[in-house]
Amino acid sequence: MELNRKPTIQEERLIEILLQKSFLEIPKDWKEGLRVRPMDDGTMGSLYLYPQGKIITDRKFGKQISDFQFTDVDGVEVIASLNVDSDGNLLELDIWKTDQ
C-alpha cells in the first residue's frame, strides 16, 4: 500500500460526515490535494490526514471536532472521530472498533 495516498471514496465520505457534524469552518475545496497515511492501529482503519498534500509530521494534536458511531459491514460497532491539529487543520481520522 502506498504510504501517502489519496483517500478512498468511503474514507472521503466518512470525513465529510464528520465535517458536517462539526462546527469547523473548512474550505469547500478541502478534498483537493488531501493525502492520507494509515496509522499503525491494528488494522482498524485510522488515518493521518494531510491537507493540500503537505506532509508535515511534527504537527501537534489540537482537539476532536466530531465523532460518529455506526455498525460496520461485519456487524461490529465503530466509533469514528475527526481530529484537528493545534492550528485547526485536519490531522486524524481515528477509528475504534468495539469488542464483540
Side-chain angles (χ1 to χ4, degrees), residues 56-63 84-89 91:
I56 302 170
T57 57
D58 63 346
R59 297 183 296 161
K60 304 279 188 266
F61 175 83
K63 63 182 177 179
V84 295
D85 65 17
S86 57
D87 293 323
N89 298 310
L91 177 67

Side-chain angles (χ1 to χ4, degrees), residues 26-77:
I26 192 112
K28 292 192 184 290
D29 64 348
W30 67 268
K31 295 178 190 179
E32 298 296 317
L34 179 66
R35 294 291 181 262
V36 300
R37 180 171 47 103
M39 289 181 169
D40 185 15
D41 67 355
T43 68
M44 287 199 195
S46 299
L47 299 170
Y48 293 110
L49 307 176
Y50 301 104
Q52 293 124 16
K54 296 177 184 173
I55 311 302
I56 302 170
T57 57
D58 63 346
R59 297 183 296 161
K60 304 279 188 266
F61 175 83
K63 63 182 177 179
Q64 177 181 314
I65 60 167
S66 66
D67 59 12
F68 180 67
Q69 186 168 342
F70 60 95
T71 304
D72 205 351
V73 294
D74 57 5
V76 176
E77 286 297 307

